Amino acid sequence: MFQPADLNAAIIAAPMAGGPSTPALCASVTNAGGLGTLAGGYRSAGALAEQIAEARRLTPGPIGVNLFVPSDSPASHDRISDYAERLAPFAAALGVEVPEPRFGDDDGWQEKLDLLADTRPEFVSFTFGCPEAKILDRFAQLDVHTSVTVTTVAEAEQAAAAGAASVTLQGPGAGGHRGTFDQEALPETAPLIETLTAVVAMLDARDAPVPVIAAGGLCSPAGLDAVLFAGAQAAQLGTAFLLAEEAGTNPVHRAALRDPGFAEASLTRSFSGRWARGLQNEWMTALDPFAPAGYPEINSLTAPLRAAAVAQGNPRLASLWAGTGFREARIASAADIIAGLLPASRR
């Protein structure tokens, strides 16, 4: 079975749903000695199958795929309806309508699980919760390494008990969605190294130790060296690859990451109903005070507005996911980005 410790370069490209993660980026990271991953979220099983096939064509090495774990939304119909009304002026400005929310959408969960069981990527990761033990066992029987995104010691303990082959510990500096299991809980704010040290100690003490992958705000050699020294077997990076030549990051997002007018990456749940970190803009400022915890319904409400903002080149109303280290992202090939990120002692 694939293990993070097997990587020549201890770097995993984070799965970035919505466009940035592409088969070309996945393959390029793997070909450079790391592990490339594909984002299964927001994509049909058929489209994901095509991406897996394309990544396999581009690299003989291991690839990963990430899925969103479905969960019940805590938002009431009234709160979702209220938020839809608040979106109406923004929709009108963009020339679109606020759609009816999709309740109970599980993002094709079972179909995608079956697809991954058939195609057997070497690494399958899960975000937004911990899958049932029988799901993790199914992949273990297929010799597929599973990793569950966690943000706390308690979540890591739950994932290990369910049978995850590793945990991906996401710190507070991460861009995009936080992997917090409980939608209503405020995300953990303790520094990554502090939580990493505690999680590594807890998982190393088990009869069968569980390796840890560290993630969140890692965009420099010093950051990578710190988490590897603290016991992580690999580091997962997303923001560092947003400007990669092989990434599918849209032009509005790419420009905003280099625009000095965007000074801060802040937490918001105004785009999807789940906490996520992105470049602070007009949308977030106006809607953050009213956004309920309510994924996937809020995500379905805002989807056409976000798409229209990108199509119209409007960064003020687009979701611009980025971690706290976004200023260190650079335009280069994935291979060159990896070469520049590895601590000198590990090149």
Side-chain angles (χ1 to χ4, degrees):
M1 180 186 289
F2 166 85
Q3 295 293 337
D6 297 336
L7 297 172
N8 291 327
I11 290 176
I12 297 173
M16 297 178 284
S21 291
T22 64
L25 178 61
C26 173
S28 295
V29 171
T30 291
N31 289 338
L35 175 70
T37 59
L38 298 170
Y42 310 145
R43 194 180 301 281
S44 70
L48 180 57
E50 292 176 0
Q51 288 216 329
I52 293 171
E54 177 65 5
R56 287 294 194 204
R57 187 184 69 81
L58 295 171
T59 180
I63 64 170
V65 179
N66 176 262
L67 298 183
F68 292 161
V69 179
S71 62
D72 293 332
S73 168
S76 67
H77 284 232
D78 287 345
R79 292 205 67 188
I80 292 170
S81 296
D82 175 72
Y83 195 64
E85 291 179 7
R86 295 185 183 279
L87 290 174
F90 296 89
L94 291 165
V96 297
E97 294 185 358
V98 180
E100 292 295 320
R102 296 197 303 271
F103 290 93
D105 182 3
D106 69 356
D107 202 35
W109 173 244
Q110 189 59 54
E111 191 176 1
K112 290 177 185 178
L113 288 175
D114 292 340
L115 168 67
L116 298 188
D118 288 340
T119 55
R120 301 189 190 186
E122 287 76 10
F123 181 87
V124 172
S125 61
F126 299 93
T127 303
F128 296 164
C130 184
E132 295 176 274
K134 65 181 181 181
I135 292 174
L136 297 172
D137 182 64
R138 179 186 186 188
F139 285 107
Q141 296 299 319
L142 296 171
D143 210 30
V144 173
H145 185 105
T146 55
S147 192
V148 175
T149 303
V150 302
T151 62
T152 65
V153 174
E155 290 175 353
E157 189 170 22
Q158 180 181 340
S166 69
V167 300
T168 299
L169 176 66
Q170 185 193 56
H177 284 98
R178 295 301 308 275
T180 310
F181 289 5
D182 181 357
Q183 287 195 41
E184 296 184 281
L186 290 174
E188 177 63 65
T189 59
L192 172 60
I193 292 296
E194 179 181 318
T195 309
L196 175 62
T197 301
V199 168
V200 168
M202 183 269 293
L203 295 180
D204 279 355
R206 292 173 57 88
D207 291 338
V210 176
V212 181
I213 298 162
L218 303 175
C219 288
S220 69
L224 265 68
D225 209 25
V227 297
L228 296 175
F229 181 79
Q233 286 198 353
Q236 179 174 279
L237 289 71
T239 301
F241 290 107
L242 280 173
L243 294 178
E245 294 167 356
E246 302 92 336
T249 313
N250 67 65
V252 174
H253 198 172
R254 284 181 178 271
L257 288 166
R258 304 191 304 276
D259 185 344
F262 290 97
E264 183 181 6
S266 306
L267 278 179
T268 181
R269 56 184 178 199
S270 60
F271 287 107
S272 72
R274 273 189 172 273
W275 290 110
R277 187 177 296 280
L279 301 180
Q280 183 72 37
N281 62 5
E282 179 182 326
W283 174 295
M284 291 162 61
T285 300
L287 292 168
D288 272 347
F290 311 104
Y295 183 91
E297 292 82 12
I298 300 302
N299 189 69
S300 67
L301 284 178
T302 67
L305 284 72
R306 290 180 280 125
V310 170
Q312 296 170 28
N314 185 349
R316 297 178 299 107
L317 302 180
S319 54
L320 307 169
W321 302 139
T324 53
F326 71 93
R327 290 294 184 209
E328 297 180 88
R330 62 191 185 96
I331 303 171
S333 68
D336 284 345
I337 290 170
I338 288 175
L341 284 167
L342 286 176
S345 62
R346 299 175 187 272
R347 290 175 188 163

